[in-house]
Amino acid sequence: MVSLALPTGSLEAPTLELLAAADLPVSRHAPRAYRATVGHPAVDRVVFHKPREIPGIVAGGTCDIGLTGADWVAETGAKVEVVDTLDYSKSTRSGWRLVLAVPEDHPARTVADLADGVRVATEYPATAREYFRRSGVRATVLHSHGTTEAKIPDLADAVVEVVETGSSLRQNNLRVLDTVRRCGVNLVASPAAWADRSTRATIRTLATLLRAAYAGPLHRLLTIVLPVDRWAHAEPLLPPRWWRLDTGAAPGLMVLQGVCAAPEVAGVVTSLVERAGAIEIVETPIRKLIRDHPA
């Protein structure tokens, strides 16, 4: 049995959607309740916390596992086991970035162009200080507790801020000078839970379900019918993972199936039809996909 910490705020809705897709539905007696249950016998307790708090809560053993941003795992320096990373956010399926941003009319074009003593507001002071140390720029890092973009120009000259689509920066007349780090959602485990063989097995099972539900919609299953004599033309065009289904194939025809990344489907289908003579291709959505789980 394990206890699970889930994030509030912008990550809450996509995290609940992912858990539901993984057949781990979360039930609460009220939409804003901070305690819940999960429809899986291995999870005995679910609590909601701010993402920045979850690394410490898991590291301290209050919860066995948690889902939180990689940025907060790095910022807090919490001693947790990162079991997996899932690159989703509120608005995208590609995670987010921590960026260094300056006003549109700022003369700097790289971080090296910033003057020593530049004032930088951020909710990630430890991460920002390490970034400027590596960059060789002496910056005055100011800890912001929200509305960071508003600190310019009165309190700061630049910001280190989270970016998903970039719309907030544009609305505040800021532009990205550099990417500090790329981030996704970390599934983290406490050292004590990870050290216990039985608990680790449970965590790996849950991680596999989450990874499968995350990866499934990013891929498609292609079923391909083509003439046997076109095999040599088709083989180089197939998705990396495919298999042949001979049962039921008409004389002179072969049936193949392969898993294809969703953005590549159009190109693969077009090539198989135009260059390999495929006579039928069926594209099927994938709900879950298990392959090469990192845990």
Side-chain angles (χ1 to χ4, degrees):
M1 301 288 286
V2 297
S3 51
L4 170 64
L6 297 178
T8 58
S10 64
L11 287 178
E12 182 174 334
T15 296
L16 293 177
E17 292 171 5
L18 177 65
L19 286 162
D23 296 320
L24 300 167
V26 176
S27 298
R28 294 190 279 189
H29 72 271
R32 304 310 303 170
Y34 291 114
R35 295 188 178 275
T37 59
V38 162
H40 193 284
V43 183
D44 65 352
R45 183 167 58 91
V46 179
V47 294
F48 287 81
H49 291 283
K50 291 181 178 180
R52 71 185 65 192
E53 297 173 331
I54 290 176
I57 288 168
V58 172
T62 301
C63 285
D64 298 310
I65 56 175
L67 287 161
T68 186
D71 46 1
W72 292 116
V73 175
E75 175 66 21
T76 61
K79 303 302 181 183
V80 293
E81 179 72 27
V82 177
V83 180
D84 200 357
T85 298
L86 306 166
D87 288 328
Y88 68 87
S89 66
K90 177 182 178 181
S91 306
T92 74
R93 290 300 295 261
S94 57
W96 63 96
R97 293 182 295 155
L98 274 183
V99 301
L100 171 64
V102 296
E104 283 284 4
D105 59 358
H106 197 287
R109 289 295 176 265
T110 70
V111 62
D113 296 332
L114 296 176
D116 282 343
V118 61
R119 301 170 303 165
V120 181
T122 183
E123 294 185 64
Y124 302 86
T127 301
R129 290 188 183 101
E130 174 59 18
Y131 167 77
F132 284 110
R133 185 194 66 77
R134 295 195 314 267
S135 301
V137 174
R138 290 196 292 272
T140 300
V141 176
L142 310 171
H143 193 176
S144 171
H145 297 278
T147 61
T148 303
E149 294 100 327
K151 305 297 192 295
I152 294 176
D154 298 323
L155 301 176
D157 308 305
V159 297
V160 170
E161 182 66 314
V162 167
V163 166
E164 290 184 19
T165 64
S167 61
S168 180
L169 290 183
R170 290 191 294 270
Q171 290 169 14
N172 286 281
N173 297 313
L174 301 176
R175 61 178 170 85
V176 174
L177 196 63
D178 194 16
T179 295
V180 175
R181 65 167 295 155
R182 297 186 179 276
C183 305
V185 175
N186 283 166
L187 173 64
V188 296
S190 73
W194 194 249
D196 182 86
R197 180 178 300 178
S198 176
T199 305
R200 185 190 305 176
T202 298
I203 294 170
R204 282 178 163 164
T205 296
L206 297 173
T208 296
L209 292 173
L210 290 172
R211 168 58 61 177
Y214 170 79
L218 299 177
H219 296 80
R220 301 291 185 270
L221 177 66
L222 298 182
T223 304
I224 306 149
V225 180
L226 73 155
V228 172
D229 61 8
R230 300 295 292 176
W231 165 245
H233 299 275
E235 185 177 18
L237 307 175
L238 292 172
R241 301 192 184 195
W242 57 269
W243 52 97
R244 183 171 174 173
L245 308 176
D246 287 326
T247 303
L253 297 178
M254 62 193 309
V255 180
L256 308 168
Q257 281 190 330
V259 174
C260 186
E264 300 171 6
V265 167
V268 170
V269 167
T270 301
S271 296
L272 286 170
V273 171
E274 295 181 352
R275 297 165 56 188
I279 62 175
E280 183 175 294
I281 299 177
V282 177
E283 177 186 343
T284 306
I286 298 175
R287 189 163 175 263
K288 292 187 181 70
L289 176 63
I290 298 175
R291 68 162 52 154
D292 296 340
H293 188 264

